[in-house]
Amino acid sequence: MNTRNKLKILNDPIYGFITIPNPLIFDLIEHKYFQRLRRISQMGMSYLVYPGAHHTRFHHALGCMHLMQKAIQVLCFKGVEISEEEKQALLIAILLHDIGHGPFSHAMEHSIVNSVHHEEISLLLMEQLNKEFNGSLTLAIEIFKGNYPRKFMYQLISGQIDMDRADYLKRDSFYTGVAEGNINSERIITMLSVVDDELVIEEKGIYSVEKFLVARRLMYWQVYLHKTSLVAEQLLIRVLKRAKELTLQGTKLQASAALSFFIENEISIEDFNYEVLDQFAKLDDYDIVSAMKEWMNEADFVLSNLCKMIINRDLLKIKIKNKKIATKKLQNETQSLMKQYNISKAEASYFVFSGEISNQAYKTTSQNINILMKTGKIQDVVKASDQLNLKALSKPVTKYYICYPKDKL
């Protein structure tokens, strides 16, 4: 009989000690699917800008679980009835919400698998774990999917002020050293309440919410959409796309078994059976980095140059504008590159491209952040706030970028 102590305490640099509340959650953390998150960076290529940004999805998931424990405590203290089964389901759902993330976070969704979002893979992995754990994740999956009638539970996992955002803003600002993102997640959680099964924030917490929304906007411009990490992620997407293209043309590229599987096969959401899921669960950042180190020496001009750029951090030039990029500018850069290296237009398009980014700190169209006024009235945060710029924060701001090589590749 296994009498191993499963009520462990972990030390986290942000919150101090985090407790693992019960044996089931301990076993889920021990599972290979969850342990893989130790090898998936939380912030993709941001470490090329902020050298400290090497923390992982594993870190983040445990932090979210810790905040969810706090939120459950606060709500129960305020008289919200949450059963033991619901408490456990909330902790499991937030712990596993990112389990389907691929290497370097978002780059995989656009290159190796065909438009399969990490949420869909998270759900498939949770369903597989549910089989292995004899159905004990059923309620967690219902909450995660938004099917459970108590809406506030879904809002705690995926809302505009959920435990996921409450952790990643604080954690990412800590590891990047960008102080603007440092929100007071403890205070926000203390101000949470529930009215008619929907999440609300008490009126005295309104300033913490304003700070949260401003912090989110600043973190997006300063960190998540920073031009250097943006160009690095675009290069990574193109590395994987080119590797796939060459493989389909018959080139044999050196890569781990898991990475080779995804490069050699066209995988969409319909193809995700148990075998594909198991291959996906073997993929992590190390597969991609070690492949790029090999591919730097490939004969293919495009693949070798893209890999060298990322490995040696000698990236493309990127310019961000408020207006759409002129087609003429793109054509000129493409022509000059084709001429310089005697390459085709298709090959040059890997190094000269444009795109757009947008930042909206608060979406008024989805679940609103509702403030519970002292009078008992419920108001959207934009109406309740006396800070004029909250209205501005709810408008999307779009910027346009162009990437092209510096003087020479």
Side-chain angles (χ1 to χ4, degrees), residues 31-79:
H31 195 280
K32 63 179 182 183
Y33 288 172
F34 192 81
Q35 288 293 319
R36 178 185 80 98
L37 297 181
R38 290 181 185 272
R39 304 185 301 279
I40 304 280
S41 60
Q42 169 73 11
M43 293 181 64
M45 309 301 284
S46 294
Y47 67 90
L48 292 174
V49 184
Y50 298 102
H54 274 292
H55 55 302
T56 65
R57 293 262 159 203
F58 183 86
H59 248 147
H60 163 62
L62 291 173
C64 291
M65 182 193 73
H66 171 74
L67 292 182
M68 185 66 87
Q69 284 174 296
K70 296 259 180 221
I72 291 169
Q73 270 172 359
V74 165
L75 294 176
C76 288
F77 177 72
K78 291 181 183 176

Side-chain angles (χ1 to χ4, degrees), residues 145-371:
K145 289 187 341 199
N147 292 347
Y148 195 58
R150 306 193 72 186
K151 196 176 167 191
F152 79 90
M153 295 193 175
Y154 177 68
Q155 290 170 321
L156 283 169
I157 288 151
S158 181
Q160 293 218 59
I161 197 153
D162 55 28
M163 297 306 104
D164 175 32
R165 290 178 184 183
D167 180 79
Y168 78 63
L169 286 173
K170 200 169 175 64
R171 190 169 298 279
D172 296 350
S173 94
F174 176 86
Y175 281 99
T176 54
V178 176
E180 286 82 354
N182 187 12
I183 55 161
N184 192 344
S185 44
E186 301 274 325
R187 179 165 166 81
I188 290 172
I189 289 169
T190 309
M191 295 297 138
L192 288 176
S193 195
V194 172
V195 175
D196 298 333
D197 267 338
E198 293 217 14
L199 211 55
V200 292
I201 306 269
E202 292 173 4
E203 187 180 351
K204 56 180 181 275
I206 195 163
Y207 300 119
S208 304
V209 175
E210 288 174 0
K211 168 82 169 38
F212 168 86
L213 292 173
V214 171
R216 192 160 182 263
R217 175 178 173 272
L218 295 174
M219 284 294 282
Y220 268 85
W221 285 135
Q222 224 170 318
V223 179
Y224 308 127
L225 298 174
H226 187 287
K227 60 179 191 168
T228 307
S229 30
L230 184 67
V231 72
E233 185 164 299
Q234 287 299 324
L235 286 171
L236 182 57
I237 290 168
R238 283 161 173 74
V239 162
L240 298 169
K241 193 175 147 204
R242 184 61 171 177
K244 200 158 191 170
E245 205 171 277
L246 292 173
T247 304
L248 294 173
Q249 289 167 10
T251 309
K252 187 79 188 107
L253 294 174
Q254 281 281 308
S256 67
L259 183 54
S260 296
F261 175 83
F262 284 95
I263 286 174
E264 288 161 13
N265 297 290
E266 287 289 333
I267 303 289
S268 58
I269 192 69
E270 293 76 32
D271 304 313
F272 264 88
N273 55 21
Y274 174 71
E275 284 69 32
V276 174
L277 205 57
D278 213 48
Q279 286 289 354
F280 183 86
K282 290 176 183 154
L283 264 186
D284 55 50
D285 291 7
Y286 299 122
D287 296 80
I288 308 289
V289 173
S290 60
M292 287 194 295
K293 284 166 73 181
E294 292 294 326
W295 298 345
M296 278 162 65
N297 308 314
E298 279 294 321
D300 181 68
F301 176 87
V302 174
L303 187 63
S304 64
N305 276 298
L306 289 173
C307 290
K308 282 174 192 161
M309 284 177 173
I310 296 175
I311 295 291
N312 302 328
R313 199 196 177 280
D314 186 10
L315 308 168
L316 294 171
K317 196 171 182 60
I318 176 170
K319 286 195 171 160
I320 294 185
K321 311 265 186 197
N322 292 325
K323 297 200 298 283
K324 285 195 171 164
I325 305 298
T327 320
K328 191 86 187 117
K329 171 79 174 152
L330 271 170
Q331 285 170 344
N332 291 348
E333 290 294 344
T334 307
Q335 290 296 333
S336 123
L337 194 65
M338 285 164 67
K339 205 161 144 191
Q340 194 178 354
Y341 292 100
N342 193 21
I343 55 175
S344 69
K345 190 175 181 186
E347 288 170 319
S349 72
Y350 276 95
F351 303 99
V352 181
F353 51 87
S354 62
E356 62 178 61
I357 46 174
S358 88
N359 184 357
Q360 186 177 6
Y362 180 57
K363 292 188 171 71
T364 45
T365 47
S366 59
Q367 307 162 358
N368 297 4
I369 297 177
N370 286 324
I371 306 294

